[in-house]
Amino acid sequence: MPYMHKEWRKIAKRERRKRIRKELAKKLDPITYLTSEEYEFWIKEQEEIQLLELEKIAILNKEENDKWQKAERVTMEKWQKLQEKIENLRQMKLQEEAKLKLEREMEQKQREEEVQRLKEIEEENKRKQKVFQENLEQFLKGDSMDPPEELLISRETRPNADICPFFTKTACCRFGDQCSRNHKYPGISKILLATNFYIHFGLENSNFSEYDTDVMLEFEDSDTYKDFKDFFFDVLPEFEKFGKVVQFKKFHQTWILNFSTFKVCNNYEKHLRGNTYVEFYDLRSAVAAYQALHSRWYGGRQLSLQFCEIGSWKNAICGLQIKKRCPKGRACNFLHVFRNPNNLFSVYNGSNYRGRRTPPRSWRWSESPERESPPRRHSSSRSTKPTKRDHGPCKRKSISITSHRKKSGKRD
Ligand SMILES: [Zn+2]
Ligand SMILES: [Zn+2]
């Protein structure tokens, strides 16, 4: 740009000089009326005027040029700053991207490590379970009433932490093994726990007032209680197969009983809902039942059994529930249990259980998820009506709601 400007100035000067000369020529030539001295003076004067004018133009041009250069500098500075800013942003973006990439890689690595860790735990658990099963078999095959030492080793989730009071009392805790307190699992014990074994629409809905209170659950004609009785008479005989029956036959003249208690929770809380506890009189019976029933299928659901320790049923079961005055209702953290039909096992050292006349619906039990078909012959009154459980949860739901509405309609 400065080069262009200079060129222009040159041309402008030249043109101006030409013009002045022409004008002068046009005017009356002073030579005609001036003396030679005067004429010379006049020429000099004219030249000085011209020089002055040229100087003036030069000054103006310089000023313009300075202004322009200044503006140019400012623009250049601005542009420079902008470029720096863009470069900074670019660098920041690159850094951010690198950081994200690193984080993604770390996450991926952690995920892989976690998968590997879980796999190892699973394999270790499988190995332990295999050894455990072998030991159980050994124990069942042998004559000794005392189990091998290995079976008596208990497992603790956090040996250095305080004992979890809920787990100690009920063998269950809402936090599972993630609990900050210690949970102690026995190797084997006389009590088997099937978590969430009994399911029914009535237990899973706390919204319906009918199901919200223990009182309603115990009504003989409530849907839930009828369903529970079906369950009770289905499941009880399966566990009964594994007891030391003879011993108790002698002791209890009236009835043979191979385990001391059977309790099904009707709590709403997920970790207690439908939990089924079966306490045997001796370890061998409990082990035999575990061996035979763990992982078996009932009503299309796989049974998961575990040995557990309940120091005292009195401490495990909510005392206020028995009096029907528990303020927490089924949200209670202690066991709220169904009253067993005919008050079975309500007294630990005896029972008036005389058995069910109708045969148990053992067809619901299976070795696989495939359910067997119900027997065609229906002799008893119970077996002639269609069993609700087989219609699936939706059907049962509709049955329950209808009867509930009818009842409330009557009240209105
Ligand atoms: Zn706990
Ligand atoms: Zn309670």
Side-chain angles (χ1 to χ4, degrees):
M1 283 297 276
Y3 174 76
M4 291 280 287
H5 193 68
K6 267 183 190 169
E7 278 295 306
W8 174 80
R9 266 168 60 191
K10 247 175 164 177
I11 295 162
K13 275 181 190 172
R14 199 166 60 225
E15 289 301 313
R16 191 170 171 79
R17 275 198 301 273
K18 263 189 198 170
R19 202 174 67 241
I20 290 168
R21 259 184 246 121
K22 267 184 190 168
E23 274 169 11
L24 283 176
K26 270 183 198 166
K27 281 180 191 169
L28 190 58
D29 197 352
I31 202 160
T32 54
Y33 57 86
L34 288 179
T35 62
S36 61
E37 264 180 16
E38 277 173 342
Y39 184 72
E40 227 169 90
F41 182 76
W42 178 82
I43 290 288
K44 260 186 190 167
E45 203 181 56
Q46 291 305 313
E47 277 174 3
E48 270 169 23
I49 289 168
Q50 269 184 28
L51 277 172
L52 273 174
E53 276 185 6
L54 284 173
E55 267 171 33
K56 218 166 135 188
I57 288 167
I59 288 166
L60 280 174
N61 281 343
K62 195 178 172 292
E63 274 173 9
E64 280 298 309
N65 196 37
D66 286 353
K67 245 193 237 170
W68 183 87
Q69 276 181 346
K70 202 180 164 191
E72 175 87 354
R73 258 201 318 278
V74 170
T75 312
M76 280 301 286
E77 275 167 15
K78 272 188 189 166
W79 186 80
Q80 205 79 35
K81 273 183 188 161
L82 187 70
Q83 291 307 308
E84 278 169 19
K85 211 171 163 183
I86 289 169
E87 179 60 20
N88 280 345
L89 285 173
R90 200 177 68 87
Q91 288 295 338
M92 271 164 70
K93 202 180 159 203
L94 283 176
Q95 279 173 7
E96 192 66 23
E97 277 172 5
K99 201 177 142 196
L100 283 174
K101 195 177 166 225
L102 195 73
E103 276 174 9
R104 274 199 300 273
E105 282 169 3
M106 290 283 282
E107 271 172 25
Q108 176 69 20
K109 204 179 158 208
Q110 275 173 359
R111 269 200 298 274
E112 282 167 11
E113 279 172 4
E114 184 63 10
V115 167
Q116 183 61 25
R117 194 181 70 84
L118 292 176
K119 207 175 143 193
E120 278 166 18
I121 289 173
E122 201 189 319
E123 275 165 16
E124 177 63 13
N125 284 344
K126 267 187 196 161
R127 194 190 59 76
K128 276 185 186 163
Q129 185 65 19
K130 197 170 165 248
V131 173
F132 183 65
Q133 290 284 3
E134 282 165 7
N135 283 329
L136 290 183
E137 266 166 44
Q138 278 313 112
F139 173 50
L140 289 178
K141 274 184 204 160
D143 298 326
S144 169
M145 280 306 282
D146 299 321
E149 295 262 305
E150 304 85 61
L151 285 178
L152 295 174
I153 299 168
S154 53
R155 178 172 72 83
E156 295 182 57
T157 53
R158 286 171 208 271
N160 299 323
D162 289 340
I163 284 286
C164 173
F166 286 110
F167 188 84
T168 308
K169 283 176 185 161
T170 64
C172 290
C173 169
R174 66 167 60 247
F175 303 112
D177 285 354
Q178 304 302 311
C179 181
S180 60
R181 306 266 178 109
N182 190 18
H183 293 180
K184 196 172 174 183
Y185 291 91
I188 54 172
S189 65
K190 291 178 191 174
I191 306 174
L192 289 179
L193 164 61
T195 44
N196 308 129
F197 184 29
Y198 174 61
I199 51 160
H200 184 260
F201 163 73
L203 292 191
E204 280 159 32
N205 280 270
S206 63
N207 297 334
F208 286 90
S209 59
E210 175 180 351
Y211 304 115
D212 205 21
T213 61
D214 296 316
V215 184
M216 289 310 292
L217 289 173
E218 300 266 311
F219 272 173
E220 283 289 337
D221 61 346
S222 85
D223 283 329
T224 313
Y225 197 68
K226 276 185 203 161
D227 190 79
F228 165 68
K229 279 205 289 190
D230 286 351
F231 170 81
F232 182 86
F233 288 118
D234 273 352
V235 171
L236 188 72
E238 284 300 312
F239 282 95
E240 278 185 319
K241 289 175 186 169
F242 306 98
K244 282 279 178 188
V245 176
V246 186
Q247 284 185 7
F248 297 100
K249 198 172 186 179
K250 276 186 210 158
F251 194 68
H252 302 291
Q253 295 299 316
T254 51
W255 178 242
I256 48 170
L257 188 67
N258 53 6
F259 49 85
S260 63
T261 193
F262 185 90
K263 297 198 180 301
V264 180
C265 297
N266 56 44
N267 295 65
Y268 174 67
E269 294 298 311
K270 191 83 177 72
H271 68 291
L272 295 174
R273 198 184 300 166
N275 282 5
T276 305
Y277 296 83
V278 187
E279 181 173 9
F280 288 83
Y281 275 113
D282 63 280
L283 272 175
R284 189 179 283 276
S285 305
V287 168
Y290 176 89
Q291 273 288 71
L293 299 178
H294 179 60
S295 300
R296 268 190 67 190
W297 294 76
Y298 172 77
R301 299 178 67 229
Q302 194 170 26
L303 189 58
S304 171
L305 285 174
Q306 66 187 62
F307 292 101
C308 72
E309 213 79 84
I310 299 279
S312 140
W313 286 110
K314 204 176 153 218
N315 289 341
I317 296 171
C318 174
L320 292 168
Q321 181 233 347
I322 298 164
K323 295 174 191 162
K324 307 208 187 308
R325 284 216 312 263
C326 177
K328 292 188 174 175
R330 292 192 296 123
C332 186
N333 270 318
F334 292 100
L335 311 185
H336 280 207
V337 294
F338 279 105
R339 179 176 53 76
N340 285 339
N342 309 331
N343 284 326
L344 290 176
F345 317 112
S346 57
V347 183
Y348 297 152
N349 57 358
S351 169
N352 54 1
Y353 180 40
R354 288 183 181 279
R356 231 168 73 82
R357 301 251 167 88
T358 51
R361 291 165 302 167
S362 55
W363 52 268
R364 276 196 183 151
W365 289 92
S366 65
E367 300 293 338
S368 71
E370 300 290 323
R371 273 190 270 174
E372 291 163 33
S373 306
R376 291 197 174 183
R377 188 171 53 83
H378 297 298
S379 54
S380 72
S381 59
R382 269 170 48 80
S383 55
T384 48
K385 67 174 182 182
T387 48
K388 284 173 213 159
R389 209 186 307 249
D390 308 316
H391 294 303
C394 298
K395 189 83 177 184
R396 287 162 62 201
K397 189 173 176 176
S398 68
I399 292 167
S400 302
I401 291 169
T402 317
S403 77
H404 170 62
R405 283 199 184 132
K406 270 184 199 162
K407 273 176 201 158
S408 55
K410 271 181 195 170
R411 275 201 295 274
D412 295 337

